[in-house]
Every structure is written in C-alpha cells, then in structure tokens.
C-alpha cells in the first residue's frame, strides 16, 4: 500500500516510472525526482491494469476526453464506442461523467475496457441518485460522498475531480464581486447549493484528510476541481477564482506531504491575453503542480465550434504551463457529444497539444513536423499520411479528389509551388 | 483619378471613410489620418461598387476567403456558390485564385456578384495561359504581366497580390540557408523559376513604378506578396523570409509616397512562439502597414484540420499586429475546398478574428461575448442563438437533441450548473 509519490520520495524507480520514462524520452531518475517533488503525476489506481502515462513538467502535453451518459441521453454501448474513438484518435485519458442509467455498471465497463487512465467526478453519482429519488441537493449526506469516493477507488478510478476549494471563504469573494455567469462547474454549483442551504462548510475541504486517506490507499490522483472557474470571458481571473486557487495551493501541499499524487484544474472561459498570466500564477501558487485546463475558451460566442475555441486557448495555455488539456467538442454548450463530435474534439486538442510540444521541444513533436515538411517537399504522399495526426482523413481527401493519383493536388494542379521551385 | 490615401493626405474625408468609420465605431477624422499615414487601407477599385470595409490599425480584424477553379476542378457555378457561403458566414473579402477555365469570365462574374472586396494574384492568369499553351514559365513575357494587371484593374479588382519582394538578393539568402520545404508560394515559385531560367531580376520589382501607376489609376490596393514565406515550421523566420521583408518595407514607403494604398502579406508555417516576434518585426520594418497573414500554421502535421491550426496561429497573430486573416480550410494541403470546407474555414477565421477583437477591445466584440454570457446565465436560448457567431448550427444542435424544448441541454440535464447555482 504505497503511491508513486511515496515510492519516488524514498528513491524507488517503479516499473510505471520506467515505462513512462521510455515513452517520454527522459531518464527514469529525472522522472523519479519530478514525481517526488510533485511536479509530475502518474495517475494509476492499484486496481486498474493498463500502460500508464504521466502528466506534468517537461513531458508531452496530455489530452482528456469526457464521455458519459446523461439523464436525457443514456446509452452505454454508445458511450463505450465514444471511448474507443477517443482513444483511437489519441486521447491519453477518459473521464466518465455519466449521470444517467446504472452508474456503477457504466463505470465498471469503462474501467474494464479502457487502455488509458480513467477519471471521474464522484459527486455526480450522488447528485444523480438524489435527483432520481426526487430529493434535493441540500439533502445530500456527506457520508455518502465519502463512501462513493472509496467505492470508485476500489473499482479502479485513476484520478478524481474533487472540488475541495469551494469554501465559504472563496464563495464570499464571489458574493462581493458578482459575475455575469455565476458558477458554471457542475460540482461547484452542487456544493455551493448544499453549503448555502445547510449553512455548512464544504465537507471535502473540512474532511480533506479522509479524502487523502482513501486516495493514498488506492493511489488515486486527486484532481483539485476549480468549482469557481469563470464561465464567461467577463468573469475571468476574478477574486472568486483566485481565492479558490489559494486554497487549492494549500491542499496541494497537504496532499504531497501525505503521499498522495495531486494535480490542479483550471479555467475556463478567458480572453487570450489573460491565459499566460493565469498559467504562471497557478504554477507559482500551487508549487508547480501539474495543471489540467478546461479550455481555456477565448470567446463565449462560438457554440457549435467550441473545439476550435478550445484549441486556440489550449495551445497558449500549454505553452505557458498547462500540462493536461480537457477536450472541448463542437457540442459544448448545446448537447451531449456524438461519436463524430468526440473525434473532432480529440483532434482539436491533439493539435493544440502538438503545437505546444513543438514549441516546448518535448517528445518527437519537432521530428514529426520536420518529417512531414520533408515529405511535402518530396511530394511523397504516403509519407505525408504517415506523419499526419489523422492519416485516414488526409488520405481520403486526397484520394477522392480529381488528383487522387497525381503527385500534385487539385488546389494548384501543375502550378504547384513545390513542382515549380524544384523544376519538376 | 485619385486614391483614398491621396484624398486622406489632402485632408478629404471621402464617403467611403464616412461609411467605414460608422461601422467601425471610430471618428471619420481619426480614420482619415490613419489612411493618410498608410496604417489603414480601404481596398476599393473605382470600378467596383459595394459597401467598403477597411483593414488596419485599431479596426476589427478582417477575414478573407480564397475561392477559384483549378486545372483539375473547374466549375464556375460552384465557385460562385462558395463565394456566397463565404460572405454569408462573414468573410470580409474574396480572393479569386482561379487557374482553370475562362479566367476572364470567372473574374467578371465574381466581381459582379460580390458584395465585398475582391482580390487576385494576377500572375496566376499568365501562368495558366502559358501552361494551357504547353509553354514553360521561363517563356513568360513581362509585358503580358503588366497588361494583365491593368486589365484586372479595369475590371474592378480591389486588391492584388504582387510578389515584388522576390528579388535576386532575397533569393540568394535562401540559397545560402537552405530550407526543408523551399518556396511554397505559387507566385513566388513562378517568379523564381522565371528569374533563374532567364537570369534576370523580378520585373515586378524592377518596374515597380509601372505597377504603382496602374494601381493609382484605379485605386487598387497593393498586397505585397510574401513569395518567400516559410512553408514549414522548421523554415520559419529564416534569412530569406526576413530579406524579402526588408524589400517589402522599402516598397511600402514607395507606394505611400506615390499615393497608392498598400498592405503586406506574411507567414505561413510558424511555431507559436515565433508569431509575436514576427508580427512586431514586420510592423516595425514596414512602418505599420496593414498586415495580411496566411495562417500562421502552428504545426505542419494536421492536414484535414488546418482550419483549426490556422485559427490558433491567426488569433495570436491578430493580437500582436496582424489586421487581416486569410482563411485556411480543412482541405488545405490536400485538395480544392468544398462548399462545406469554405464554411468551416470562414468560421474558424471568424473565431480567431473575434477572439483577438475581444482582447483588442474594438468594435462590439466584448459586447457580444457579454450578451452571450448573460443569455447563458438566463438560460435564454433564443438570445444565445442571436449572439452566436453561427446561429443556425447552435439552434439546430440544441433543437434536435432530446432536450430540444427544455431550458437545460442534454449535457447536464437537471444537474445544470446554472440551474443549481440559481436554485431553479
């Protein structure tokens, strides 16, 4: 019963560290030190078997895909299909955010069938159960929440979003500095509702040691949720957001000291010129904890295209300190994503991650771009497909055009710049 | 026979300036001064009737959509349909890059039917004609090129891409500092071929005064093409690119002095961390000329998704000095775009332009985002559709979901954060 961070602190290089070091092209000893310092995490529950990946400083940017049923749209087969598509297009993790149907069975199936790490937001299960019984959020029993966290840990969840920083103190800053869009985090809104109606402190904050104890037992990585993240560009970087961040920083220290792996979640909706500053202040306040961002979305006005908006903000975030990008699909703000939305969302985030990795010069990112460029110069289409982030679509678009079998494409025909430059 | 810049220099506020000032929410006097200084252009040929738009310092970011036939895919009706879609989704200008079919008829139809400014690359017509006759680029007669520029000016083209900076001097820098991907500009490659095979200087550079004379006569805005723009991230900001930029800076001065409106084209493929620097060096060298960028593309490896890549680079470019974004469609590097590609390309660029305008605080960009956020808080779907950059897709996705008629969406159902936060 030990965790990656405890082993790293005691000088042990685990098989997980060995595996990750190889795939990230870093030395196991360097990686062990980063994990010991808490700057890198390897979210892997002791009860979940798969090839691990690490998140954090100096490593390639990772991408998460959210899947899951809802009250209004509930089909396990479809969600499992979404998971497969997400993984096929390069997702490094899957979050099961189901809120409809038999949540236990759904989570078990996802963990069983996933070849990548799996995350959850345990409070969703409790809230779903309450709603199904016709009860109110204020009737939530904190004991149930801790039981759910323990149960999900037993099942094998690798990381859990826990909104421990939604405290009475951080909420007071929101009250004194009102927002256009209020709270947009589901977990954050649920906890606020419970706290307000019961006039009590957040149990995840008050009994954080219980959370730590469970997570340590199964080596669950805590993902400290940003319940007060801005849901509108106009609300970005307000006092409520920063007040919560200060608390999250303290909770990071406590988790590390206790021997639990921890990362921190971040915004949200945010004009582009605030992204760099946000990434830097977060890294400073949270002592370089791995940073998991939801977007950021650089405009509020593009429903139907929020995967593009997320890719813009995600690239800038990842260059400035974010380590883990939660995908955004074209369905965001409108409905549950379809299979095609999942592919589009993962690809947009992969492009953001890769664009950032080219700048950060980690992994094989620059090599891939170089090889693609050389293939273009050589008009070598097979090589271009090989290095494309989505080889299938590149091959299909070219092959189905009138220049399917030509060295040039239908855009330029024989006026192709490469052909003229090379005098072919 | 005068141009917007000449009138502005002489203190005249034209009806075009009045019109633009109103739509941009600036004063006519301020705008007149910007045009006189050459920091803003109003591309509008004296022979083309439409409601003008301006490009440059302090104004909202504009978006261009390329359309046009090619040797391999030639259908005028389809290209006109692309034009309509591009304008409907918010393109501020259309470039006719046709290289197949009867180019004269195509251009005339596009100018006749376009409600926005129209641009061309005149050398394409000459090269297409040569190729159709089975002749080589080296056999191009410079006189034909000047005749073509004059003819297109007569027809009513508002701005023309002219690669005047591809000189023997700038090409020599490429030779001494070889690239992965060489020259990727069609015009640049054609001129290099001609110059190399004939051992002569670029006629558009050598006889720049003839270019200026024609453009002055019809008030055609020159768009100084970047024939040596990088076509690979690995080639970005190399000596060839910067050598050409120095020449473009000198040509900007000459155009302004002569009384011709001028803007400058820029990269290209470029890792994100080089974009800000490129925008700043360009603005400095070219004395704040309006900057028209093709991308920039932050990775080479995403064929099929280059509209997303272009939106990432375009946003960062526009925040740092770019004024005009050339769209990139999902078909880029693979084939001529379809109707749907055109929509996707325009939308991606509009999102980049709008995200930058939110930061730059020009026009009504922040107002739109604020109104959208307020509508979200009020769960007012009709208002959300009103403020969406693409109202149609937002309405369709929500309406066709299982929560079509509900205040919440299928993503969260009654676990909706807004509903819980507001206690609805």
């Amino acid at each position: 019963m030990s965790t990656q961070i405890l082993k790293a602190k005691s000088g042990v290089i685990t098989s997980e560290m060995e595996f990750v070091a190889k795939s990230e092209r870093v030395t196991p000893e360097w990686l062990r030190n980063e994990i010991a310092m808490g700057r890198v995490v390897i979210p892997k529950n002791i009860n979940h078997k798969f090839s691990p990946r690490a998140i954090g400083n100096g490593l390639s940017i990772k991408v998460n895909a959210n899947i899951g049923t809802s009250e209004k749209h509930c089909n396990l087969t479809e969600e499992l299909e979404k998971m497969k598509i997400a993984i096929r297009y390069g997702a490094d993790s899957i979050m099961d955010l189901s809120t409809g149907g038999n949540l236990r069975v759904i989570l078990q199936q996802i963990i069983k069938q996933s070849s990548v790490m799996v995350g959850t937001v345990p409070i969703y299960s409790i809230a779903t159960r309450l709603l199904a019984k016709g009860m109110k959020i204020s009737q939530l029993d904190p004991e149930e929440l801790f039981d759910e966290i323990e149960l999900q840990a037993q099942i094998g969840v690798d990381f859990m979003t826990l909104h421990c920083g939604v405290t009475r103190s951080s909420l007071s800053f929101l009250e004194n500095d009102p927002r256009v869009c209020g709270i947009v985090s589901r977990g954050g809104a649920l906890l606020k509702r419970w706290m307000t109606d019961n006039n009590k402190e957040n149990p995840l904050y008050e009994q954080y040691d219980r959370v730590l104890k469970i997570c340590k037992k199964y080596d669950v990585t805590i993902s400290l949720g940003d319940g007060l993240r801005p849901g509108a560009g106009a609300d970005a970087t307000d006092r409520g957001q920063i007040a919560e961040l200060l608390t999250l920083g303290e909770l990071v220290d406590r988790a590390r000291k206790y021997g639990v792996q921890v990362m921190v979640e971040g915004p949200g909706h945010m004009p582009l010129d605030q992204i760099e500053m946000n990434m830097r202040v977060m890294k400073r306040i949270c002592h370089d904890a791995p940073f998991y961002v939801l977007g950021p979305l650089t405009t509020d006005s593009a429903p139907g295209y929020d995967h593009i908006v997320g890719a813009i903000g995600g690239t800038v975030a990842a260059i400035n300190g974010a380590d883990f990008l939660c995908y955004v699909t074209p369905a965001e703000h409108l409905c549950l994503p379809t299979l095609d939305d999942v592919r589009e969302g993962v690809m947009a985030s992969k492009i953001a991650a890769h664009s950032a990795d080219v700048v950060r010069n980690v992994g094989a990112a620059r090599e891939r771009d170089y090889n693609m460029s050389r293939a273009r110069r050589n008009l070598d289409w097979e090589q271009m497909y090989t290095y494309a982030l989505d080889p299938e679509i590149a091959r299909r678009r070219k092959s189905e055009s009138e220049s399917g079998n030509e060295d040039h494409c239908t855009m330029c025909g024989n006026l192709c710049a490469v052909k003229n430059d090379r005098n072919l």
Side-chain angles (χ1 to χ4, degrees), chain A residues 30-153:
Chain A
W30 176 87
L31 185 68
R32 186 205 58 74
N33 185 57
E34 292 302 300
I35 293 169
M37 300 297 289
R39 293 190 291 252
V40 167
V41 293
I42 301 183
K44 186 174 185 303
N45 187 306
I46 57 166
N47 290 338
H48 188 201
K49 297 211 184 317
F50 67 103
S51 302
R53 303 181 192 195
I55 300 164
N57 179 46
L59 307 180
S60 61
I61 303 294
K62 304 303 184 298
V63 167
N64 172 70
N66 291 335
I67 60 166
T69 59
S70 80
E71 179 194 350
K72 302 288 174 173
H73 188 97
C74 182
N75 182 333
L76 174 56
T77 315
E78 190 182 330
E79 297 310 316
L80 289 171
E81 192 55 38
K82 285 183 194 170
M83 180 178 80
K84 281 176 201 155
I85 287 174
I87 295 172
R88 185 168 124 220
Y89 283 91
D92 299 289
S93 83
I94 297 292
M95 284 192 84
D96 172 21
L97 304 186
S98 291
T99 56
N102 188 330
L103 301 186
R104 192 72 63 243
V105 170
I106 295 171
L107 180 58
Q108 279 168 332
Q109 283 303 312
I110 287 173
I111 289 177
K112 193 176 160 193
Q113 298 191 30
S114 173
S115 58
V116 299
M117 47 191 156
V118 173
T120 58
V121 189
I123 199 172
Y124 288 2
S125 307
I126 308 298
T128 302
R129 211 179 299 156
L130 283 172
L131 240 61
K133 288 185 195 163
M135 290 165 73
K136 287 185 154 188
I137 299 304
S138 53
Q139 295 172 274
L140 182 152
D141 175 1
E143 289 306 311
E144 278 190 87
L145 186 51
F146 290 104
D147 288 348
E148 179 69 24
I149 293 171
E150 173 109 37
L151 192 74
Q152 292 197 5

Side-chain angles (χ1 to χ4, degrees), chain A residues 361-376:
Chain A
N361 200 13
V362 295
R366 288 192 185 177
E367 208 171 294
R368 179 196 277 260
D369 273 19
Y370 182 91
N371 287 332
M372 172 62 88
S373 302
R374 203 175 43 186
R376 286 201 170 120

